[in-house]
Amino acid sequence: MEGGMQGLGQPVLSARLAISWARIFLSLTSHTWFWNLIQNDFKTGNIDFEGCMRLLEKMQINFDEDHFKHIFKAISWARIFLSLTSHTWFWNLIQNDFKTGNIDFEGCMRLLEKMQINFDEDHFKHIFKKTLDKRTGDAISMDDFRAIYRALVHRPEYDELFKAYSTDGKTLPDGQLLKFLIKEQFQTEANETTALEIILKYEPIDEVRKKRQLSFEGFIRYMNSEECSVFKIQHKTIYQDMTQPLCDYFISSSHNTYLISDQLMGPSHLWGYTSALLKGCRCLEIDCWDGHNNEPVVYHGHTLTSKIPFRSVIHVIDKYAFMSSAYPLVLSLENHCSPKQQEVMAECLKNILGDKLLSSPIGGEVEISRLPSPEALKFKVLIKNKKVGTLEESLQRMEEDYHGETEEMSDSDEEADEGSSDDTMPLQASRSPAKRRGDPRSSIPPQKKTRVKKTKIALALSDLVVYTKSQKFVSFDHSLQHQKCYENNSIGERAARKLARTSAKEFISHTTRFITRIYPKGTRMTSSNYNPQEFWNIGCQMVALNFQTPGTQMELQDGKFLDNGGCGYVLKPGFLRDRNTSFTPRNVGGYSKPMSLSIRLISGHQLPPSSMSKSNKADPMVQIEIYGVPEDQARKKSSVIKSNALCPKWNETFSFTIQVPELAMIRFCVEDEVSLVNNEFLGQYTLPVMSLNTGYRNIPLISKEGTKLESASLFAHIWYY
C-alpha cells in the first residue's frame, strides 16, 4: 500500500472527492447521512491517499487497490482543488440548515437571506414550485437548494465573461483579472494591487483566495457589487470643489416640504421634512401662519390641509439637518405670521438650533461682495426670509434689547406669494432684435404699476437673515443695478419659463450672480411637478419640487443629486458660472463638447413581475432617455421580451450623440407592455451622463415610490468618448 503511493507527490483528497467516490460505489441518496459518517475524518482538513483508503475500509467498502490508485492519481491537483473546494465551501455554508433533513419554503427563504442573496419573492416562489413539481412533498433537499441558488445567482452572461478570461474555466488568476479590468471595464489605472484587493474583498473560498485567484462565486460577488454599478463609485463621495460661492452650485430644494400629498386637502406631516433631509435636500420650505396660544403653525394657507406646530418642525430639522449632508441647510420661510408670532419663530430657531443657526456673517464681515462657500458654511442652518435694513444694523440691534420691535416693508421687497398665479409676476416684454442686440442686459419693467402693500416684519426674525435675503424679482436690469450678492429671488415656473424663452442669455447672467429659486405654479393642486431640467439648463440654483409626488420629474431630481456624494450641492458647469458666458441652451456654440455614447443592453435580472401576472411573468421593454439642452433630448426603445421577467435577454445596442454632457441626464426605464397602447411602469434608474461608468455594468432599479428594488437590475455594456 505504501509502495503504491510513490510518484504521487503526496496529494490530498477532499471531502467532496470522498462524496463522489461514495456515489460511485453506493449510489448515495442522502448527503446528510453521508456527511455525518465522514465528517470526523475531515475535522483537521483534507485527507491524503492513506487517509482515504482508511476511510473506505472503515466504511466497509470493497475496492481494488490498483483501480483506486489509478483513479486517485488521474485526478489532477487543479481538479481536486477547483472542483471540490467550491462544493466544500457551499456545503459548509448550508449544512447546519439541513441537519434535521430537508427544508420547506420558509426555511429556504431564511437560508437565502442568511447567505445575503437578494431575491424577488415572486421569482423565488416560481422557482421553488418548479423544483417541488419534480418530487412529492413540500420540502427540498440540499441538491434542490443548490439548483435554486444557481437559478437565482449564476447568470449565463457572467459565466461567459468569466470563461473568456479564465485559463481553465474554474478560476481567474490575478493577472487575468487585471486584463479583464483594463480591457473590458476600461480601468486603465488598475494594477496588480487593484486585482488583489478585489480578490481579498469578494472571494468567499479560502483556498482560492490564498492562491490570489477568483472563483466564479467570487466573480459573481464582484460583478454584483457597487464597484460594477453603472454609477461611478468615485462620484458617490464628495469629489467636487466645495470652496466656490453658494451661487455656483445646484442646490437640492423642496417645495411645500410639509405636505405629503396634494396641496388642497392633503395632510401636513413632519415626515415631509424628515424624508427630504434624509434624501440630502438642502433647501426646505416652511409655510408659517398664526396659530392658537401664540404658537405659529405650518400648513398650506387658505386650504383644508392639516396643521403642524412650527416648533415641532424645527425640532425635526435640528435632529436630521446634517444626517445625510454636512453642507449648509437653507430654511425658506414663507412667512404669513403677525409680528408677535414672528418673535416666537425667532426664539424657536435660536433656542432649538443653537450653534447650528447662522445669525451673523462669517468673521463679522458686513460688506459682502461674494457669497461664502458650502465648505465655509458646513453644519450651519441659514434662514431665507425678508430682511429689514443692512447687516451692520442687524449686528448692532443684536447687541441691544429690541424685543417686540417691528418694521413695515413694502410688498416690492417681498417674495411673491407662491399660492398665487405666476401671472402676477412682472415679466419681460418681447423686444425687437435690434434693441436686444444694442443692450444685451436690457429688460422692460412691468407695464402696469404694482399695488404697494405694507407688511410688518419682526426685527428679531429679520436679523437672523444673513446670506439668503428674499428679494422680489423685478427685472434683470434692476437686479444688475441694485441687487446685492446675498439677495435671492424666487420666480414661479411660468414666469421663469417665459424669461428663459425670451431672455435666456440675461437669465443665465443673472444666475451667475444671484441665487434663484424656481417654484411650481399655484394651479398644481395635485402637487404635480414641472421638468426641472429646463431650469438647470439656465443655471437656476434652487429648482424646488414637490418631493412627495413621484414621477419622472422627481426621478431627475433624485438622479442629479446622487452626484457629488449625495450631499445636496452639485457644482455648476464652468459656462454657467462665468459672468461673461455666451452659452444658452438653444445655442450652445463653442461650449459644445460632443460625447458619443454607446449602450449595449444585454439582459435583465429578477425584474418586477407585471401586476396583471398571477406568477412571475412580464413582457419587459426598456426605454433609454436623455434629458439636457433641447438638442440633446432623445428617447430610444428596446424590443419587448415576452413572458420573461426573471432573466430577459436583449443584446441590443443604442447610440447617442450628446452636445452638452455636463448638463445631460440619462434615464433607464423598464416597462411591461400591457397592450399596444398601454405600458406598466416596473422600475427606473436616472443619473448624470458624466457619472456613467464604462464597461460591463449593472443598472439598479428604483420603484415608483423611490425605493431601491434590491434584487432587480439591468446588465449593459457602456462605452463613450
Side-chain angles (χ1 to χ4, degrees):
M1 212 178 286
E2 289 179 4
M5 280 301 296
Q6 289 176 1
L8 286 180
Q10 292 303 311
V12 294
L13 184 67
S14 72
R16 174 64 183 87
L17 186 58
I19 292 173
S20 299
W21 269 106
R23 276 181 169 173
I24 293 170
F25 289 112
L26 299 173
S27 303
L28 290 171
T29 56
S30 172
H31 283 289
T32 308
W33 163 81
F34 187 69
W35 177 260
N36 290 336
L37 194 62
I38 70 169
Q39 61 179 329
N40 286 335
D41 294 79
F42 288 90
K43 271 187 175 177
T44 57
N46 291 346
I47 59 174
D48 60 10
F49 181 87
E50 301 290 341
C52 187
M53 294 261 290
R54 284 194 297 272
L55 181 53
L56 288 171
E57 288 166 354
K58 185 179 80 173
M59 295 169 70
Q60 299 180 341
I61 304 300
N62 295 320
F63 60 92
D64 178 89
E65 187 177 332
D66 288 330
H67 287 315
F68 175 63
K69 189 190 304 176
H70 173 76
I71 294 169
F72 192 96
K73 186 177 181 181
I75 298 174
S76 67
W77 280 104
R79 183 168 175 79
I80 294 171
F81 173 70
L82 301 173
S83 301
L84 310 180
T85 53
S86 178
H87 184 90
T88 307
W89 163 81
F90 190 79
W91 179 268
N92 288 338
L93 202 61
I94 69 171
Q95 60 174 317
N96 287 336
D97 295 78
F98 285 90
K99 271 190 172 175
T100 56
N102 292 347
I103 59 174
D104 60 10
F105 180 83
E106 296 295 333
C108 191
M109 289 236 301
R110 284 193 298 271
L111 182 50
L112 285 171
E113 286 165 356
K114 185 179 84 172
M115 295 172 73
Q116 299 180 331
I117 304 300
N118 291 323
F119 60 91
D120 176 277
E121 195 168 328
D122 287 323
H123 288 309
F124 170 65
K125 200 178 293 181
H126 173 76
I127 295 168
F128 190 89
K129 186 175 181 300
K130 278 181 69 177
T131 306
L132 283 185
D133 288 346
K134 299 173 185 175
R135 59 182 66 252
T136 55
D138 59 356
I140 61 166
S141 68
M142 190 195 78
D143 278 342
D144 294 330
F145 177 78
R146 193 173 194 195
I148 290 171
Y149 170 83
R150 284 180 166 173
L152 289 171
V153 177
H154 288 201
R155 296 165 62 175
E157 314 90 284
Y158 289 176
D159 188 53
E160 189 179 325
L161 274 176
F162 181 80
K163 286 179 176 172
Y165 282 86
S166 171
T167 51
D168 56 11
K170 299 294 181 180
T171 63
L172 207 57
D174 54 357
Q176 289 300 105
L177 175 58
L178 182 56
K179 284 183 183 178
F180 171 78
L181 295 175
I182 294 171
K183 187 176 178 182
E184 304 293 353
Q185 304 299 70
F186 305 107
Q187 292 180 223
T188 52
E189 75 290 349
N191 54 34
E192 289 181 1
T193 303
T194 313
L196 183 58
E197 285 173 350
I198 289 171
I199 290 167
L200 293 175
K201 187 173 182 180
Y202 297 108
E203 178 51 56
I205 304 171
D206 290 339
E207 294 94 330
V208 180
R209 191 169 57 248
K210 287 172 186 174
K211 290 182 176 287
R212 297 167 67 109
Q213 295 175 340
L214 205 59
S215 68
F216 185 50
E217 291 290 345
F219 186 72
I220 290 169
R221 280 154 179 73
Y222 167 64
M223 292 300 294
N224 286 334
S225 73
E226 290 292 310
E227 291 185 51
C228 288
S229 168
V230 70
F231 191 90
K232 282 182 181 174
I233 200 163
Q234 303 93 322
H235 290 195
K236 293 193 174 185
T237 57
I238 295 160
Y239 68 95
Q240 295 177 344
D241 180 4
M242 301 302 287
T243 64
Q244 300 304 309
L246 281 178
C247 59
D248 281 358
Y249 297 84
F250 295 118
I251 303 170
S252 178
S253 303
S254 164
H255 174 253
N256 287 351
T257 316
Y258 47 90
L259 291 179
I260 56 172
S261 185
D262 68 82
Q263 60 183 39
L264 196 59
M265 301 179 68
S268 304
H269 202 282
L270 294 172
W271 174 246
Y273 291 97
T274 305
S275 61
L277 287 168
L278 291 176
K279 272 189 170 185
C281 182
R282 296 291 85 192
C283 180
L284 308 176
E285 185 179 26
I286 310 178
D287 217 341
C288 312
W289 298 79
D290 281 356
H292 297 301
N293 303 319
N294 203 33
E295 283 290 335
V297 292
V298 175
Y299 81 112
H300 199 57
H302 310 300
T303 66
L304 298 177
T305 58
S306 59
K307 302 173 182 178
I308 47 179
F310 177 82
R311 189 179 300 275
S312 299
V313 170
I314 305 306
H315 273 296
V316 166
I317 290 170
D318 178 57
K319 182 176 180 180
Y320 293 100
F322 303 108
M323 197 164 282
S324 295
S325 173
Y327 291 100
L329 174 66
V330 179
L331 304 185
S332 182
L333 303 183
E334 190 64 25
N335 181 12
H336 305 276
C337 289
S338 62
K340 187 177 180 183
Q341 294 210 12
Q342 288 179 44
E343 292 272 358
V344 176
M345 288 168 60
E347 285 305 308
C348 280
L349 290 165
K350 287 189 283 188
N351 292 339
I352 296 170
L353 297 176
D355 291 340
K356 295 188 185 84
L357 181 66
L358 184 83
S359 56
S360 60
I362 297 171
E365 182 186 356
V366 291
E367 292 296 327
I368 301 172
S369 58
R370 171 186 162 109
L371 284 171
S373 68
E375 189 66 32
L377 293 168
K378 281 174 94 169
F379 300 108
K380 288 296 180 185
V381 177
L382 281 61
I383 304 301
K384 183 179 181 296
N385 189 51
K386 297 175 285 290
K387 183 175 181 65
V388 177
T390 65
L391 288 169
E392 191 172 12
E393 290 169 345
S394 293
L395 289 174
Q396 288 173 352
R397 280 195 297 264
M398 290 173 82
E399 296 174 1
E400 302 166 3
D401 182 13
Y402 57 93
H403 185 76
E405 291 186 23
T406 61
E407 191 162 319
E408 285 193 340
M409 293 182 66
S410 67
D411 188 47
S412 61
D413 292 331
E414 203 172 39
E415 183 178 326
D417 182 358
E418 299 190 9
S420 63
S421 168
D422 301 334
D423 290 339
T424 60
M425 288 288 298
L427 300 176
Q428 277 185 298
S430 180
R431 303 192 68 185
S432 69
K435 287 184 178 178
R436 280 203 301 270
R437 282 196 296 270
D439 184 3
R441 294 191 307 266
S442 62
S443 53
I444 286 186
Q447 299 294 314
K448 191 165 67 176
K449 196 171 182 178
T450 53
R451 180 172 57 88
V452 176
K453 184 179 75 174
K454 296 286 186 178
T455 58
K456 290 185 176 181
I457 180 167
L459 295 180
L461 186 60
S462 166
D463 290 343
L464 297 181
V465 177
V466 183
Y467 297 118
T468 45
K469 175 186 176 182
S470 296
Q471 185 70 39
K472 188 170 183 177
F473 177 75
V474 177
S475 71
F476 295 131
D477 272 347
H478 183 274
S479 294
L480 196 58
Q481 293 170 30
H482 303 290
Q483 196 163 319
K484 306 291 186 186
C485 68
Y486 54 83
E487 294 176 332
N488 317 148
N489 305 124
S490 283
I491 307 176
E493 63 165 293
R494 190 179 298 155
R497 195 171 288 119
K498 289 178 181 177
L499 289 168
R501 190 170 59 248
T502 60
S503 309
K505 191 174 178 182
E506 291 86 345
F507 207 149
I508 291 171
S509 176
H510 181 83
T511 59
T512 63
R513 294 169 169 82
F514 311 111
I515 292 176
T516 303
R517 180 173 176 269
I518 310 298
Y519 58 88
K521 60 188 177 185
T523 52
R524 293 184 181 274
M525 293 302 176
T526 58
S527 294
S528 61
N529 282 311
Y530 53 83
N531 178 1
Q533 187 68 48
E534 60 182 317
F535 300 115
W536 291 328
N537 285 347
I538 52 175
C540 295
Q541 294 86 350
M542 296 179 173
V543 181
L545 297 184
N546 293 302
F547 273 41
Q548 76 273 25
T549 307
T552 305
Q553 298 85 357
M554 267 309 295
E555 289 160 9
L556 287 169
Q557 156 77 24
D558 291 342
K560 187 168 192 69
F561 289 100
L562 281 175
D563 198 5
N564 203 29
C567 72
Y569 284 82
V570 173
L571 189 64
K572 296 197 291 183
F575 55 78
L576 290 179
R577 293 183 276 135
D578 178 7
R579 294 186 177 185
N580 298 313
T581 187
S582 60
F583 169 88
T584 67
R586 294 188 181 275
N587 183 19
V588 300
Y591 297 98
S592 172
K593 295 178 183 176
M595 170 195 283
S596 292
L597 172 63
S598 174
I599 298 172
R600 179 160 65 94
L601 178 65
I602 300 171
S603 62
H605 186 63
Q606 295 196 60
L607 303 181
S610 167
S611 61
M612 301 176 71
S613 172
K614 292 180 180 178
S615 61
N616 69 328
K617 304 296 184 187
D619 296 342
M621 51 89 69
V622 179
Q623 289 193 126
I624 303 176
E625 302 164 349
I626 305 291
Y627 294 82
V629 299
E631 192 177 349
D632 290 338
Q633 305 280 358
R635 175 182 297 173
K636 299 191 178 182
K637 295 182 181 181
S638 76
S639 59
V640 177
I641 305 298
K642 294 292 184 181
S643 301
N644 189 348
L646 177 60
C647 51
K649 296 199 171 40
W650 284 279
N651 279 313
E652 296 176 27
T653 300
F654 305 91
S655 298
F656 302 88
T657 299
I658 303 170
Q659 298 299 324
V660 189
E662 299 98 319
L663 285 173
M665 304 287 294
I666 185 167
R667 179 173 181 260
F668 298 86
C669 182
V670 185
E671 294 180 340
D672 172 46
E673 188 183 62
V674 178
S675 68
L676 290 175
V677 293
N678 186 25
N679 292 337
E680 178 191 343
F681 176 92
L682 296 180
Q684 66 80 35
Y685 190 70
T686 306
L687 71 159
V689 163
M690 298 300 287
S691 294
L692 280 171
N693 241 334
T694 51
Y696 288 96
R697 301 295 168 182
N698 274 301
I699 302 165
L701 292 176
I702 295 171
S703 72
K704 196 170 188 176
E705 293 70 37
T707 56
K708 186 179 178 184
L709 299 167
E710 292 295 341
S711 58
S713 64
L714 299 173
F715 188 53
H717 182 271
I718 294 166
W719 170 243
Y720 56 80
Y721 60 91

